[in-house]
Amino acid sequence: PRARRRVGAAVALVGALEMAGACLFATVAARVGLLDANAWPAAWARMASLMFLLDGAFRVGRGALEAGGYRVEVLSRAPWAAADLADFWGRRWNLLVARTLGAEVYGPLRRRGGRVAATFGAFLVSGVYHEALFTLPVPHAVGRHTAFFLIHGAAILLTQGPALRARPGLARAVGWGIFLASAPLFFGGPYPAAAPLERVFR
């Protein structure tokens, strides 16, 4: 397609500001003691930082490619607006990984073993991947990330019934409630040492 230099530059600029804001927020959270507080507020602050950092990084990449005239795929769609956990993981967050897991893990397992096996298989693979990403560099507390993803897989299976689908507001609240309750499993333990965003602006 034709290069969209102005649009691409604007998207990239917004993404860069989003990334800088994520690191600045993490730095401020550390300086006011939020990251040393209770496990849940600290995890929520780190979660917000990572979400905006990666969303911004995807915007920067998309904007740069659009400015150069390349066809691009959207890899993050306002994850904070997710209707429920299935919407967050399947249609909004880190879609490069989501599509890969869908094609390579979920699809084959669903054809052979059904939806439950496919869902747990995809989230198990994601958990093991994140163990390698965050735990191997700081080898302790193995299993936290796998537990986090398996909880989310189970929650998706349990919350996709007609009762919640008929109540979008309740489905959103339940989804984010599960996410926030389980956040220390992902954003605690080895995560602060593996991804110390709060140190960027020191």
Side-chain angles (χ1 to χ4, degrees):
R2 185 174 60 187
R4 304 170 65 201
R5 290 186 175 85
R6 290 185 180 179
V7 173
V11 170
L13 177 60
V14 170
L17 292 174
E18 197 175 358
M19 293 176 69
C23 295
L24 181 60
F25 172 77
T27 300
V28 172
R31 290 185 178 177
V32 301
L34 184 59
L35 300 185
D36 297 319
N38 182 279
W40 277 273
W44 299 338
R46 290 190 171 100
M47 180 180 74
S49 299
L50 179 67
M51 188 177 294
F52 284 100
L53 178 77
L54 287 187
D55 188 67
F58 289 140
R59 287 181 193 272
V60 169
R62 190 181 91 200
L65 290 170
E66 283 187 332
Y70 292 91
R71 189 182 303 278
V72 297
E73 291 187 40
V74 176
L75 297 180
S76 180
R77 290 191 176 96
W80 44 85
D84 54 30
L85 285 175
D87 185 38
F88 179 89
W89 291 115
R91 293 178 288 275
R92 291 184 178 273
W93 178 249
N94 200 351
L95 296 179
L96 175 65
V97 173
R99 289 167 185 156
T100 302
L101 288 173
E104 302 295 336
V105 182
Y106 183 89
L109 283 178
R110 174 137 195 188
R111 289 189 293 273
R112 295 175 184 175
R115 179 169 172 261
V116 173
T119 300
F120 277 116
F123 277 91
L124 175 62
V125 170
S126 185
V128 171
Y129 167 77
H130 284 84
E131 294 284 352
L133 188 63
F134 291 112
T135 306
L136 290 182
V138 188
H140 65 281
V142 174
R144 297 174 65 104
H145 295 90
T146 301
F148 172 85
F149 282 101
L150 289 177
I151 287 170
H152 282 235
I156 287 174
L157 292 171
L158 292 172
T159 58
Q160 290 296 293
L164 284 182
R165 287 183 180 177
R167 298 173 177 84
L170 180 59
R172 180 175 282 108
V174 169
W176 281 107
I178 293 169
F179 209 126
L180 294 174
S182 60
L185 284 172
F186 189 104
F187 296 97
Y191 179 87
L197 300 184
E198 62 270 19
R199 299 179 188 173
V200 173
F201 288 103
R202 282 186 178 179

